[in-house]
Amino acid sequence: MQQVARLLTRAVGDANLLARLGADHFAVVIPEVQQEGDVALLVERWMKALLDHPFGVNTSTFRISARVGISLFPDAGSTAEALFKNAEAALKQAKASRNGYLFYTPKIAEMTAGKFVLENQLREAVDKQEFILYYQPKVNLASGKLTSAEALIRWNDPRSGLVPPDRFIPILEETGLIYEVGRWALGKAIEDYLRWQSAGLPAVRIAVNVSPLQLRNRDFIAEIEQAIGIDARAAAGLELELTEGLIMEDVEHSIATLRAIRAMGVSIAIDDFGTGFSSLSYLSKLPLDTLKIARSFVIDMTATPEGLAQVSTIINLAHSLKLKVVAEGVETKEQSRLLGMLGCDEMQGFLLGEAVPDEIFETRYLELLPPGDASRGVCAGPRRWRRAGRSRAVRASEK
Ligand code: C2E
Ligand code: CA
């Protein structure tokens, strides 16, 4: 940071026009600007100087890139405070859009305001408990029997209806609300599982997605302990889906955490496997139960021989590590056939069914199984599942 500050001071030419605002966050005042283009050229020159400069720390050399948000007087504000706030908004947008630098515009103002509104609506949604869990079935590829369900969160926004998670999870993570919502999702999945059990339905294990922030939280193990502590049967009903990148980020910590969680009887799956950079030596050390093959691989599988080889490699790898392997996003019979041929254990995807609310999951999938026994499903194969899911009348006649 000292070296960066020296370089920036040299570039700006006057240390009084430069400030350090945060750990790696600087501000510069350019007092006289003839035209917008001059600022752009200047900023580009500074960014290049930064990138070209080899920063030496101990014996290592680092290259550093920067992102810049710019606000111009008087269009982007007539006071120092407004200019400063708007430069921050432009910087945020530059980071989000992977642009090197961005000038503040009314559009950026709109986006920032829109995000602010969404943040407030999400805070309200947490208070008013507007989140819902949907369940998507997973089945055994060879037998077609239901094996488990994945819980997928939805936000029932009173203004616009159901909102998919990709639209709000990143904001829950940014604002820290994810801890509360994540805890709720765990509790709700366990509650549904126990309700199925008590109703004499063949309750299947429910997989809950866990945000990287939750896993990094020091209290995560205690949280799981508390969630399953409400009933002795709860642990057997819970699986956690964690992304590969997150686990590999701090392998030693992940091993310790996952070991503690598995010791409680909860299963662990790696989500979207193949998209991150798992180290094979670590993979064998991780306490895991399942690898989930990412949808992108399932798509590629039918497109090229290499795609097929990749899926085959993941399945073999999983089996040699004694892990169960689940293919995600299976949409076609051809994909299902190939996966079966390659020895994949389970599949999940629109071919079997989308995620549905708990009451539909119960009638569509659980009531088809003999009571009290989730392992002896009645379904002959994926085709039968699809038909069975269509209506009660069809199901009744099949029974
Ligand atoms: P994911 O864990 O990879 O979940 C699978 C996503 O693929 C789901 O989208 C599911 O509806 C969709 N999907 C399933 N089968 C198919 C298929 O055959 N074709 C296609 N095109 N898509 C399929 P969804 O429900 O929108 O969830 C998106 C992501 O949001 C999830 O990705 C997961 O990372 C995250 N998420 C969902 N629920 C939670 C939650 O409770 N907590 C956290 N932290 N993240 C969640
Ligand atoms: Ca998942």
Side-chain angles (χ1 to χ4, degrees), residues 4 9 82 87 125 141 191 198 214 276 302 321 323 357 359:
V4 171
T9 311
L141 257 160
E191 184 189 308
S198 304
Q214 285 172 277
T302 47
L321 295 172
L323 300 175
E359 65 273 13

Side-chain angles (χ1 to χ4, degrees), residues 91-365:
L91 173 62
K92 222 171 176 183
Q93 196 53 37
K95 284 183 183 169
S97 59
R98 298 180 188 277
N99 274 302
Y101 65 90
L102 273 185
F103 282 87
Y104 177 84
T105 61
K107 178 125 197 305
I108 289 181
E110 246 171 61
M111 287 166 80
T112 314
K115 198 159 157 236
F116 184 69
V117 170
L118 189 56
E119 270 179 34
N120 280 330
Q121 288 175 348
L122 282 168
R123 280 182 211 282
E124 219 178 279
V126 172
D127 288 342
K128 293 189 177 157
Q129 302 184 347
E130 290 170 354
F131 296 100
I132 316 174
L133 282 190
Y134 270 41
Y135 293 108
Q136 189 179 32
K138 295 182 222 172
V139 301
N140 181 292
L141 257 160
S143 66
K145 289 174 193 164
L146 180 74
T147 54
S148 52
E150 176 172 2
L152 293 159
I153 199 165
R154 304 284 179 262
W155 169 27
N156 191 9
D157 180 3
R159 288 155 293 251
S160 62
L162 280 190
V163 184
D166 291 338
R167 298 249 313 271
F168 62 86
I169 296 267
I171 297 170
L172 292 181
E173 288 175 337
E174 246 175 64
T175 51
L177 288 168
I178 192 71
Y179 298 113
E180 200 170 336
V181 177
R183 230 187 342 266
W184 170 82
L186 280 170
K188 175 71 172 120
I190 289 171
E191 184 189 308
D192 285 340
Y193 172 80
L194 292 173
R195 187 164 43 78
W196 294 340
Q197 284 236 332
S198 304
L201 290 168
V204 290
R205 207 184 264 270
I206 300 177
V208 177
N209 290 283
V210 174
S211 153
L213 291 182
Q214 285 172 277
L215 186 75
R216 273 192 221 120
N217 187 357
R218 271 186 299 134
D219 298 332
F220 188 60
I221 298 174
E223 221 170 76
I224 300 290
E225 213 165 15
Q226 201 181 359
I228 59 171
I230 61 163
D231 192 295
R233 298 166 298 175
L238 184 64
E239 178 162 68
L240 302 182
E241 291 195 4
L242 309 160
T243 55
E244 187 180 0
L246 159 72
I247 294 176
M248 293 299 158
E249 230 172 62
D250 184 352
V251 179
E252 295 307 325
H253 176 252
S254 297
I255 291 177
T257 308
L258 300 187
R259 204 168 271 159
I261 293 171
R262 261 182 110 225
M264 299 179 211
V266 174
S267 309
I268 310 279
I270 292 200
D271 212 358
D272 289 335
F273 184 78
T275 55
F277 299 97
S278 285
S279 146
L280 284 182
S281 62
Y282 280 129
L283 200 58
S284 60
K285 289 192 195 125
L286 283 167
L288 300 172
D289 301 277
T290 306
L291 289 190
K292 292 188 80 178
I293 306 176
R295 190 166 79 91
S296 54
F297 286 93
V298 174
I299 293 172
D300 290 350
M301 184 180 64
T302 47
T304 61
E306 292 78 22
L308 190 69
Q310 273 177 339
V311 171
S312 170
T313 305
I314 297 177
I315 293 170
N316 291 334
L317 170 71
H319 286 163
S320 62
L321 295 172
K322 310 230 171 344
L323 300 175
K324 190 171 74 183
V325 56
V326 181
E328 284 187 283
V330 178
E331 293 184 355
T332 67
K333 281 185 195 163
E334 176 63 1
Q335 288 168 341
S336 152
R337 189 185 66 81
L338 287 172
L339 287 163
M341 231 174 61
L342 296 175
C344 184
D345 302 301
E346 295 179 15
M347 69 168 173
Q348 174 184 357
F350 293 168
L351 178 65
L352 300 158
E354 290 179 38
V356 289
D358 55 352
E359 65 273 13
I360 298 183
F361 189 82
E362 285 161 32
T363 50
R364 190 173 291 176
Y365 300 104

